[in-house]
């Protein structure tokens, strides 16, 4: 099962390595990781995509929470959220396929951000499905290189991730799970 | 008034009430070392190897319940602490390791005696810090002590560059700590506690399975009261020994790989396991799928990551063991009526357990060469549980756990989680410093004792009358036992015939030495040795081929015990 997790952390040196170390030390896998400052410069958000069964996920969430520098952990599974990822793709641009690339970029509302004699560099943003669809279609035209940011996510509607401070994690449900 | 980092460091220790540190100097410690020159209020135990400084502060913490403190230099000084830190981490022991670091400007340059100790110890500390600015020093020390002793305790490392110890700042020791991202849960959820009591009320074959959380939360009085109120039998992990009186009729002994028949069978047959401050470690559970197959499980632990990690739990309760047990007792008292008949309802179960205990007690064959179990039994009889017992790792550790009855909490110092050979002797140094008048005994193996033997000099220098009882079987006995049972007696790498003459070694270090070879000598020599005011080695020549029984073979279910 694939999960998107947001982790609010103290914006300090060494925090990223604590999180990465937690994953590697326990044999958990990180599929993608995206880190940047929030509105409050003392806090960063890390958006992590990971996979595992329920038990593994529960351990990951609890272990993340246990780190002293972690302020809050959110698993977006079972929540109503939006997520977007950005992809840069360098495709072979030949006499024959130039038109088709342009058409596809337009359909997917991407942009050509760099051009050379033999290549186009395309930027696409979207959710997982859209990016998958685009890559499937563009692949036969010849992808030279591909870079992805990994997704970032946010709750839908008016709801926000409350910066409520960690306190007595688990007091409410007696389980200590978030 | 401005103070140097070194002055701030020493003042901060005073503010925390630290009166003892275990230390070893180097270039990077010099500012602090010099500052401590006049600090007669802080005992400074200089060890012979930094690993021992950490184990000693760990032993100090386990025995006293206070945070243990040690201080080492950069580079090799710091890397030598890693085994000690990992040992404390696995057993949730509150210690602080102050490592000095090279100058801030040189960090990252592969400078002389530089090691990224914060990076190295990240996975084996509860938290760690690099102090980059002298202005942060006091706050970080305050936080370090708070983090080490609160919640699930653990080791914290604070790395202090040498220039930080020389730089000046105003000194204000913070009154309290505010870490927005760290708030441990102490109070158990009342709804969950009530659910637990309901499960208990409907159970017929309950077992209390207790661990180190009883010791660290100071819950032994509450545990005893709770168990006695309902007459529920108790088994303990290695880490929990002493949390419930070892001579109590409801005590079944330790469970797990070298647990008692009664404790392991009780777990197998139980319909309700009440786990308090224990973490379902594989040494305790055996094959985890077959652990307590018929039981519902209540799990009380302060660390949510311990709950439902190895075993699915029916009623999880996150909280401090003492706090939760207190609440349970309070609710039991309110609902006395409901539980009035409980002890008589479970009487047949207690009866069954008593039968197991009577039919399959811990035992050994007392013929032939001197048996280690006999020696431990005598140590118990001679001290009546009034000693602090450290152990090394291996057979010696298991025999101590089985045959010494731990009556009070904080009387066993043993590396349970990491199983660190060489832990026991420096740990007993730490305990002896905390309690100069106590009888502190390290039950050692001939292999393990050689891992920190150099500390004889420390013990002698500081007049610490630690007693080292070497159960000398001329083997790395526990490994040899596995070779005997599972590798057709091919004793590869395990013979230790080539060892020092421990009596001559004692003499060389200026400590007392005794040897025991026969049963008749045991009492007389032990009595004399225990009276001796010097550091003392007692070399006990035991049967080299004695094994620890019962044993649950690795990976097997608890019911597959091999017994004597
Ligand atoms: C530092 C370390 N290295 C290796 C081991 C593996 N090990 C576990 S028990 C043991 C034998 C210990 O021998 P000894 O101290 O003589 O104790 P005995 O089992 O003979 O009582 C060994 C090597 C360990 N636990 N710790
Ligand atoms: Mg041995």
């Amino acid at each position: 099962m694939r999960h998107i997790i947001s982790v609010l952390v103290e914006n300090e040196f060494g925090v990223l390595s604590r999180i990465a170390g937690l994953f590697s030390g326990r044999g958990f896998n990180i599929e993608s990781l995206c880190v940047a400052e929030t509105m409050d410069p003392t806090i960063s958000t890390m958006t992590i995509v990971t996979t595992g069964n329920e038990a593994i996920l529960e351990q990951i969430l609890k272990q993340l929470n246990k780190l002293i520098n972690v302020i809050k952990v959110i698993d977006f599974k079972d929540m109503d959220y939006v997520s977007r990822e950005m992809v840069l793709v360098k495709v072979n641009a030949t006499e024959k396929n130039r038109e088709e690339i342009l058409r596809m970029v337009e359909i997917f509302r991407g942009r050509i951000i760099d051009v050379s004699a033999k290549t186009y560099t395309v930027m696409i943003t979207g959710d997982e499905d859209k990016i998958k669809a685009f890559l499937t279609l563009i692949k036969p035209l010849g992808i030279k290189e591909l870079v992805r940011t990994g997704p970032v996510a946010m709750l839908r509607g008016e709801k926000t991730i409350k910066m409520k401070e960690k306190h007595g994690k688990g007091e409410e449900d007696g389980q200590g799970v978030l | 008034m401005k103070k140097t980092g070194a002055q701030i460091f020493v003042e901060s220790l005073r503010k925390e009430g630290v009166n003892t540190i275990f230390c070893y100097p180097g270039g990077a410690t010099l500012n602090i070392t010099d500052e401590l020159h006049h600090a007669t209020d802080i005992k400074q135990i200089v060890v012979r190897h930094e690993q021992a400084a950490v184990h000693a502060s760990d032993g100090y913490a386990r025995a006293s319940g206070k945070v243990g403190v040690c201080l080492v230099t950069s580079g090799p000084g710091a890397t030598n602490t890693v085994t000690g830190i990992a040992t404390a981490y696995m057993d949730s022991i509150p210690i602080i390791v102050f490592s000095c670091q090279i100058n801030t400007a040189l960090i990252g340059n592969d400078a002389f005696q530089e090691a990224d100790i914060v990076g190295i110890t990240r996975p084996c500390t509860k938290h760690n810090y690099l102090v980059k600015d002298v202005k942060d020093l006091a706050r970080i020390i305050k936080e370090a002590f708070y983090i080490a002793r609160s919640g699930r305790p653990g080791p914290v490392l604070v790395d202090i560059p040498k220039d930080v110890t020389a730089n000046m700042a105003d000194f204000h020791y913070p009154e309290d700590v505010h870490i927005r991202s760290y708030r441990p849960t102490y109070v158990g959820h009342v709804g969950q506690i009530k659910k637990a009591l309901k499960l208990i009320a409907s159970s017929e074959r309950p077992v209390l399975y207790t661990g180190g959380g009883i010791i660290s939360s100071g819950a032994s009085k509450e545990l005893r009261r709770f168990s006695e109120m309902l007459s529920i039998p108790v088994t303990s992990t290695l880490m929990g020994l002493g949390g419930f009186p070892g001579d109590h009729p409801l005590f079944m002994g330790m469970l797990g790989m070298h647990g008692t028949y009664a404790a392991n069978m009780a777990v197998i047959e139980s319909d309700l396991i009440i786990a308090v401050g224990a973490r379902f470690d594989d040494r305790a559970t055996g094959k985890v799928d077959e652990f307590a197959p018929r039981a519902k499980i209540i799990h009380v632990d302060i660390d949510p990551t311990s709950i439902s990690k190895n075993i699915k739990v029916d009623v999880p309760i996150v909280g401090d063991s003492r706090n939760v047990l207190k609440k349970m007792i309070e609710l039991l008292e309110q609902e006395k009526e409901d539980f009035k008949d409980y002890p008589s309802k479970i009487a047949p179960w207690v009866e069954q357990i008593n039968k197991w205990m009577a039919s399959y007690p811990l035992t050994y064959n007392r013929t032939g060469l001197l048996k280690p179990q006999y020696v431990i039994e005598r140590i118990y009889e001679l001290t009546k549980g009034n000693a602090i017992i450290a152990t090394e790792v291996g057979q010696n550790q298991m025999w101590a756990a089985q045959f010494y009855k731990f009556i009070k909490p904080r009387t066993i110092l043993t590396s349970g989680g990491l199983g660190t050979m060489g832990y026991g002797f420096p740990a007993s140094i730490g305990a002896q410093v905390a309690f100069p008048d106590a009888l502190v005994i390290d039950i050692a193996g001939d292999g393990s004792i050689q891992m920190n033997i150099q500390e004889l000099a420390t013990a002698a220098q500081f007049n610490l009358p630690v007693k080292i009882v070497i159960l000398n079987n001329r083997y790395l006995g526990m490994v040899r036992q596995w070779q005997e049972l599972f590798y057709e007696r091919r004793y590869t790498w395990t013979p230790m015939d080539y060892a020092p003459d421990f009596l001559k070694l004692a003499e060389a270090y200026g400590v007392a030495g005794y040897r025991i070879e026969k049963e008749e000598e045991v009492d007389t020599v032990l009595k004399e040795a225990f009276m001796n005011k010097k550091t003392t080695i007692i070399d006990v020549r035991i049967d080299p081929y004695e094994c620890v029984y019962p044993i649950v073979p690795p990976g097997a279910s608890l019911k597959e015990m091999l017994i004597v």
Side-chain angles (χ1 to χ4, degrees):
Chain A
M1 192 58 190
R2 195 161 165 276
H3 288 247
I4 302 187
I5 301 170
S6 259
V7 190
L8 298 189
V9 300
E10 296 289 349
N11 188 4
E12 283 171 15
F13 67 94
V15 177
L16 175 60
S17 107
R18 280 180 212 282
I19 304 247
L22 184 155
F23 275 79
S24 64
R26 292 177 185 270
F28 305 148
N29 187 35
I30 295 182
E31 273 184 24
S32 75
L33 168 67
C34 211
V35 193
E37 229 175 75
T38 62
M39 292 268 284
D40 175 348
T42 66
I43 298 174
S44 296
T45 308
M46 296 191 181
T47 311
I48 301 171
V49 177
T50 184
T51 44
N53 61 32
E54 283 305 310
I56 290 185
L57 233 326
E58 187 180 327
Q59 261 304 303
I60 292 182
L61 299 178
K62 285 173 168 179
Q63 293 287 354
L64 283 169
N65 250 311
K66 187 173 167 180
L67 291 176
I68 306 282
N69 295 138
V70 168
I71 303 167
K72 191 164 176 103
V73 183
I74 307 104
D75 178 7
F76 282 103
K77 186 178 161 276
D78 302 329
M79 293 203 190
D80 196 11
Y81 69 96
V82 287
S83 78
R84 291 292 180 273
E85 177 177 5
M86 186 175 87
V87 185
L88 302 183
V89 201
K90 193 169 285 183
V91 278
N92 292 320
T94 60
E95 279 298 314
K96 258 177 39 213
N97 70 11
R98 252 170 231 263
E99 275 305 307
E100 194 175 349
I101 295 172
L102 288 174
R103 203 165 51 242
M104 216 108 79
V105 169
E106 194 172 331
I107 294 171
F108 282 86
R109 277 180 278 160
R111 273 178 27 211
I112 309 270
I113 56 172
D114 184 46
V115 181
S116 76
K118 289 185 184 151
T119 61
Y120 280 162
T121 300
V122 183
M123 177 185 83
I124 294 279
T125 53
D127 62 11
E128 202 186 337
D129 290 343
K130 177 177 164 187
I131 285 173
K132 204 164 146 199
F134 176 77
L135 292 177
T136 317
L137 291 171
I138 204 90
K139 201 168 169 197
L141 305 182
I143 298 180
K144 279 180 74 76
E145 194 182 350
L146 172 77
V147 183
R148 315 175 60 146
T149 59
V152 288
M154 199 178 249
L155 291 174
R156 260 185 208 285
E158 289 166 25
K159 274 201 219 139
T160 56
I161 302 291
K162 291 265 160 35
M163 239 304 298
K164 199 177 83 181
E165 293 175 10
K166 206 151 73 168
H167 83 278
K169 287 172 286 184
E171 248 166 45
E172 288 113 84
D173 59 1
Q175 292 231 21
V177 188
L178 301 179
Chain B
M1 205 186 72
K2 288 204 187 301
K3 289 183 188 299
T4 66
Q7 287 166 334
I8 291 173
F9 174 82
V10 175
E11 280 306 310
S12 299
L13 290 191
R14 291 199 173 104
K15 292 277 185 194
E16 287 294 334
V18 174
N19 58 19
T20 306
I21 64 170
F22 301 89
C23 47
Y24 203 84
T29 70
L30 271 172
N31 292 331
I32 290 175
T33 305
D34 194 50
E35 193 57 41
L36 283 164
H37 183 69
H38 296 292
T40 47
D41 56 329
I42 301 179
K43 240 183 277 169
Q44 298 155 41
I45 308 293
V46 183
V47 295
R48 296 301 183 269
H49 185 298
E50 289 89 350
Q51 181 188 350
V54 188
H55 290 327
S57 52
D58 168 316
Y60 178 94
R62 290 191 209 222
S64 70
K66 293 195 273 185
V67 177
V69 177
C70 62
L71 177 101
V72 302
T73 193
S74 70
T79 54
N80 269 348
T81 66
V82 172
T83 303
I85 295 173
T87 303
Y89 184 65
M90 289 292 270
D91 290 345
S92 310
I93 305 304
I95 58 167
I96 303 196
V97 176
F98 290 102
S99 53
C100 291
Q101 183 54 282
I102 54 160
N103 283 338
T104 322
L106 288 174
I107 291 179
N109 283 12
D110 300 328
F112 178 63
Q113 294 198 327
E114 175 180 6
D116 173 15
I117 196 63
V118 169
I120 290 169
T121 60
R122 219 170 259 140
C124 62
T125 49
K126 181 170 173 186
H127 197 56
N128 59 18
Y129 293 91
L130 168 63
V131 184
K132 283 181 149 178
D133 188 329
V134 65
K135 290 205 267 319
D136 299 329
L137 182 59
R139 174 186 55 82
I140 288 176
I141 293 176
K142 178 83 188 177
E143 288 183 8
F145 274 89
Y146 173 67
I147 290 171
R149 70 176 151 236
S150 60
R152 177 178 178 173
V156 176
L157 176 134
V158 181
D159 200 24
I160 312 175
K162 188 171 184 184
D163 53 325
V164 170
T165 64
N167 291 347
M168 312 279 285
D170 288 322
F171 176 63
H172 304 287
Y173 202 66
E175 285 292 307
D176 38 35
V177 182
H178 178 80
I179 308 173
R180 61 179 166 186
S181 51
Y182 175 67
R183 303 277 174 84
T185 306
Y186 287 95
V187 182
H189 185 270
V190 181
Q192 292 293 101
I193 295 178
K194 286 187 173 155
K195 245 194 244 169
L197 288 180
K198 265 209 191 107
L199 261 191
I200 293 173
S202 64
S203 70
E204 284 169 2
R205 299 185 305 281
V207 167
L208 270 159
Y209 151 53
T210 60
I214 299 291
I215 313 294
S216 53
S217 71
S220 46
K221 239 177 55 202
E222 288 75 9
L223 172 62
R224 179 170 183 170
R225 173 111 179 84
F226 180 75
S227 151
E228 285 176 350
M229 277 173 95
L230 300 177
S231 97
I232 301 180
V234 178
T235 180
S236 162
T237 65
L238 180 62
M239 291 302 298
L241 291 177
F244 191 81
D247 57 354
H248 195 288
L250 283 169
F251 190 59
M252 300 182 279
M254 189 168 73
L255 83 165
M257 182 173 271
H258 295 296
T260 64
Y261 183 85
N264 285 345
M265 286 311 287
V267 165
I268 292 289
E269 296 296 329
S270 167
D271 68 348
L272 179 66
I273 302 284
I274 309 160
V276 190
R279 61 185 176 88
F280 296 88
D281 173 81
D282 54 276
R283 280 292 189 273
T285 62
K287 187 176 184 187
V288 77
D289 313 326
E290 289 170 31
F291 178 81
R294 289 177 265 286
K296 290 240 169 14
I297 296 180
I298 297 166
H299 190 181
V300 182
D301 204 291
I302 197 157
D303 179 2
T305 67
S306 288
I307 295 181
S308 290
K309 179 170 67 182
N310 301 333
I311 219 158
K312 194 88 196 88
V313 168
D314 299 282
V315 182
I317 303 173
V318 177
D320 170 82
S321 296
R322 174 154 181 259
N323 231 306
V324 173
L325 283 172
K326 258 191 161 155
K327 188 74 197 170
M328 285 187 162
I329 292 167
E330 189 190 311
L331 292 173
L332 278 181
E333 269 162 357
Q334 281 167 23
E335 287 157 45
K336 260 199 185 115
E337 274 307 297
D338 296 0
F339 285 92
K340 195 170 76 247
D341 299 328
Y342 187 79
S344 54
K345 180 177 84 170
I346 66 165
W349 170 240
V350 177
E351 187 54 30
Q352 167 71 66
I353 286 170
N354 286 336
K355 264 190 210 145
W356 282 328
M357 289 204 274
S359 318
Y360 302 98
L362 287 171
T363 182
Y364 59 97
N365 188 342
R366 234 177 101 181
T367 54
L369 296 170
L370 178 58
K371 299 294 173 169
Q373 299 93 331
Y374 177 77
V375 179
I376 307 279
E377 280 179 344
R378 293 315 303 159
I379 294 177
Y380 172 70
E381 290 302 330
L382 292 174
T383 61
K384 281 287 175 245
N386 279 317
I388 297 173
I389 305 288
T391 80
E392 298 294 341
V393 168
Q395 294 179 312
N396 58 84
Q397 179 182 34
M398 291 299 116
W399 285 320
Q402 291 179 330
F403 289 90
Y404 192 92
K405 295 193 183 75
F406 294 91
I407 310 294
K408 291 180 288 191
R410 302 198 177 281
T411 54
I412 178 168
L413 319 174
T414 193
S415 170
L418 199 66
T420 308
M421 289 171 68
Y423 166 80
F425 177 34
S428 42
I429 288 180
Q432 190 79 77
V433 173
F435 298 104
D437 299 326
L439 176 57
V440 180
I441 304 169
D442 177 33
I443 296 187
D446 50 313
S448 300
I449 194 61
Q450 295 185 65
M451 285 213 176
N452 271 316
I453 192 85
Q454 76 286 346
E455 298 308 316
L456 282 171
T458 311
Q461 179 186 343
F462 293 92
N463 299 314
L464 301 169
V466 171
K467 310 297 166 210
I468 306 166
V469 177
I470 303 175
L471 298 178
N472 190 346
N473 52 11
R474 277 81 74 205
Y475 272 106
L476 299 173
M478 185 57 93
V479 184
R480 187 206 60 78
Q481 173 170 345
W482 284 38
Q483 289 171 327
E484 175 180 332
L485 297 176
F486 313 122
Y487 293 87
E488 297 168 337
R489 298 174 194 253
R490 286 186 295 276
Y491 297 147
T492 315
W493 300 0
T494 44
M496 285 279 122
D497 313 293
Y498 202 94
D501 177 330
F502 288 109
L503 291 195
K504 287 198 181 140
L505 194 74
E507 199 187 327
Y509 275 102
V511 305
Y514 300 88
R515 179 163 289 140
I516 298 177
E517 276 161 321
K518 296 197 273 305
E519 264 195 20
E520 306 85 83
E521 299 163 356
V522 172
D523 273 37
T524 21
V525 173
L526 284 182
K527 271 189 209 154
E528 191 183 328
F530 292 169
M531 300 291 285
N532 200 317
K533 292 277 176 280
K534 277 186 160 183
T535 308
T536 304
I537 293 182
I538 306 138
D539 179 21
V540 189
R541 297 302 185 113
I542 59 162
D543 183 346
Y545 297 104
E546 187 62 17
C547 286
V548 180
Y549 287 112
I551 176 172
V552 176
S557 149
L558 289 186
K559 61 174 183 277
E560 295 165 53
M561 277 167 281
L562 310 176
I563 49 183
V564 196

